[in-house]
Amino acid sequence: MEQLFEAFGIDGKLLLAQLINFGVLFVALTWLLYKPVMKTLDERRAKIAQGVEDAEAASQKLAVADENAAQVVQGAETEAEGIVASARELAGSEKSRIMKEAEARAAQVAADAEARAEETAAQALRDSEKEVARLAILAAEKVLRKS
Amino acid sequence: MTGVLAQMGSFLHAVFGTAVAYAAEGAPQAEGGAEHASGIHVVLKAEEVFRIFDFPITNSLLMTWVTIALLIGFALFFRSKIAMIPGKLQAGVEMLFEGVLNYMTETLEDEKLARRFFPLIMTIFLFVFLANELAFLPGIGSLLVEHNGTLVPLFRAPAADLNMTLALAIISFVVIEITGVIVLGFFKYAGKYVNFSSPVNFVVGIIELLSNVGRLISFSFRLFGNVFAGEVMIAVALFFVAYLLPVPLMAFEVFVGFIQAVVFAMLTLFFIKLSIMDPHESH
């Protein structure tokens, strides 16, 4: 065993020095490297989780808002339809009223015109009857004078 | 077990002896393995560069300090740059960390445990990986300093020193065993290894106990062997053909350095998982 240690240069002092070396390195790296890096990783992970949560909440809110908007739009549409229908109805009744009025006036105009035409015709007949009577008298006078 | 190890040691020593002797042939003034002018410089153990109060500072220890300084320097630099919106570097580091943590969570089937063991597994990986890859920088192994009259390399791959790999193996081993005791409780955990319910279970328990202790050796020698063998292979290739031939070998060693870092970290993770598994559920 002694010979073996001698051959490989195993020395209690060196062995102890190497143990301490590794111990120092272990402690130093743990405090200087692993802990800060792990802390950063954990913090980032928490931040990302928070971000995902926020995004989920936001999308939920968005869905609710979308629904609200759709409801509002639908309400507006029904209302507009109602307005249009009532306007159309109103317009329809107005139209028929105007038509009736126009028809009535046209009928009156036609009746007036007919009456006036009849009057004129009667007048003309009376006039022509008078003329015929005068002409007949004239003719009779002429005949009488010749004879 | 001791006998086997000693035999292995002497076997390696013998292999080593020939390599050293070969180097010594070319340069008669060479003593031991510290020969650079000609021949292959292969030394099984990390060499002493200087001493502070009777404390030997080896070239591997120096390199370990460089590696640690770089890692801590990077951590300090990186910490000041951390932002909620990551840059490229931060995104890369985060991806690595998250990937490892996810894998650990899957393996341990418990996120809390995974988070607790993450620093250990990650440090093992980063340390071994950087230590292995830094060894390929120019100057590592080729910068020489004089010590006690011989020239020794100033830097050496940290994992090419059994002290370093053994230290890591001990840490890994201790963490695994302590985790088992804490999670399962002492008696339940001990019951995995010392079990008198039947002769078969008793033998199985003893075998498990031995294989547990054997991890100390397998952990340390696997890393040491891979890195050291890579160094030797590149040194030999350099000795024969100094140009181009070592390139694919070095590329392969870069890959090996990464794989060994992964293996060390993953095995630690798997053994932690094994140690916290309930003995009644697992059988």
Side-chain angles (χ1 to χ4, degrees):
Chain A
M1 207 70 177
E2 196 97 326
Q3 200 188 351
L4 179 78
F5 281 5
E6 172 57 29
F8 285 100
I10 290 180
D11 181 336
K13 289 177 194 165
L14 287 172
L15 196 60
L16 188 69
Q18 294 285 17
L19 284 171
I20 292 169
N21 281 343
F22 186 82
V24 168
L25 183 69
F26 174 76
V27 171
L29 287 187
T30 302
W31 283 103
L32 294 178
L33 195 60
Y34 308 142
K35 289 215 166 167
V37 170
M38 285 298 163
K39 214 181 96 199
T40 316
L41 286 177
D42 286 344
E43 271 173 17
R44 192 178 305 133
R45 191 169 297 138
K47 212 169 195 176
I48 289 172
Q50 182 69 43
V52 169
E53 217 166 87
D54 285 355
E56 242 161 51
S59 69
Q60 221 158 30
K61 254 182 205 169
L62 188 66
V64 169
D66 272 353
E67 210 170 303
N68 277 354
Q71 261 172 7
V72 167
V73 167
Q74 201 167 1
E77 252 168 26
T78 356
E79 204 170 318
E81 254 167 42
I83 288 170
V84 167
S86 68
R88 201 168 279 158
E89 206 176 312
L90 200 66
S93 66
E94 194 80 345
K95 186 179 154 196
S96 62
R97 188 179 65 81
I98 288 169
M99 289 263 278
K100 239 178 248 167
E101 245 178 48
E103 258 168 30
R105 190 173 293 168
Q108 203 180 349
V109 166
D112 277 4
E114 209 169 318
R116 205 171 294 156
E118 257 169 38
E119 179 91 356
T120 313
Q123 184 74 36
L125 200 59
R126 267 195 307 269
D127 284 356
S128 59
E129 267 173 9
K130 264 183 207 166
E131 188 77 2
V132 168
R134 207 173 50 94
L135 284 176
I137 293 165
L138 278 178
E141 268 179 3
K142 231 178 242 178
V143 169
L144 287 174
R145 229 173 261 158
K146 269 179 195 174
S147 56
Chain B
M1 196 140 194
T2 317
V4 174
L5 276 179
Q7 227 169 13
M8 192 165 82
S10 59
F11 167 72
L12 281 166
H13 207 81
V15 169
F16 235 56
T18 55
V20 170
Y22 177 73
E25 253 180 298
Q29 84 275 20
E31 208 185 58
E35 170 50 36
H36 299 278
S38 61
I40 305 169
H41 177 72
V42 175
V43 190
L44 194 53
K45 56 186 179 186
E47 290 151 294
E48 192 177 308
V49 180
F50 56 90
R51 244 171 211 277
I52 301 173
F53 300 123
D54 204 35
F55 187 86
I57 308 291
T58 61
N59 39 20
S60 277
L61 191 59
L62 273 180
M63 197 64 203
T64 307
W65 285 341
V66 170
T67 310
I68 289 174
L70 280 174
L71 275 173
I72 293 180
F74 171 77
L76 280 172
F77 162 77
F78 188 81
R79 196 173 68 137
S80 64
K81 298 257 170 188
I82 289 180
M84 209 58 187
I85 298 165
K88 278 181 190 164
L89 178 69
Q90 195 186 334
V93 171
E94 280 175 5
M95 219 161 83
L96 173 72
F97 282 14
E98 285 226 286
V100 170
L101 191 62
N102 283 343
Y103 183 75
M104 287 180 67
T105 311
E106 265 172 42
T107 308
L108 295 177
E109 293 164 335
D110 184 347
E111 210 199 323
K112 246 176 100 183
L113 268 183
R115 277 184 177 248
R116 185 157 302 161
F117 284 111
F118 175 77
L120 177 77
I121 304 297
M122 203 66 214
T123 308
I124 288 177
F125 171 74
L126 288 177
F127 177 51
V128 175
F129 177 66
L130 191 68
N132 287 350
E133 304 307 348
L134 278 182
F136 295 105
L137 287 180
I140 313 297
S142 52
L143 278 179
L144 303 175
V145 288
E146 201 178 324
H147 178 71
N148 287 348
T150 53
L151 287 173
V152 285
L154 182 57
F155 295 116
R156 176 188 171 102
D161 175 13
L162 199 60
N163 283 307
M164 183 276 213
T165 60
L166 191 59
L168 274 185
I170 288 170
I171 287 167
S172 181
F173 176 81
V174 169
V175 168
I176 291 163
E177 303 305 320
I178 288 178
T179 305
V181 170
I182 287 176
V183 173
L184 293 182
F186 178 78
F187 289 105
K188 207 168 176 188
Y189 188 67
K192 272 184 166 185
Y193 305 113
V194 184
N195 192 332
F196 295 107
S197 62
S198 76
V200 173
N201 281 352
F202 180 75
V203 174
V204 168
I206 294 298
I207 289 172
E208 288 224 348
L209 185 63
L210 282 179
S211 80
N212 248 24
V213 177
R215 280 176 201 163
L216 267 180
I217 297 157
S218 66
F219 257 138
S220 55
F221 273 87
R222 181 184 306 113
L223 182 55
F224 169 77
N226 271 283
V227 173
F228 183 72
E231 295 220 319
V232 173
M233 190 164 72
I234 289 172
V236 170
L238 273 170
F239 182 73
F240 285 120
V241 184
Y243 300 99
L244 287 176
L245 178 67
V247 172
L249 293 176
M250 283 182 91
F252 179 64
E253 287 309 319
V254 167
F255 175 66
V256 167
F258 168 71
I259 287 295
Q260 285 309 314
V262 173
V263 163
F264 207 111
M266 288 233 288
L267 281 181
T268 305
L269 175 65
F270 293 156
F271 290 149
I272 287 172
K273 173 65 183 165
L274 280 181
S275 78
I276 63 172
M277 275 206 312
D278 201 300
H280 299 295
E281 278 176 34
S282 61
H283 289 297

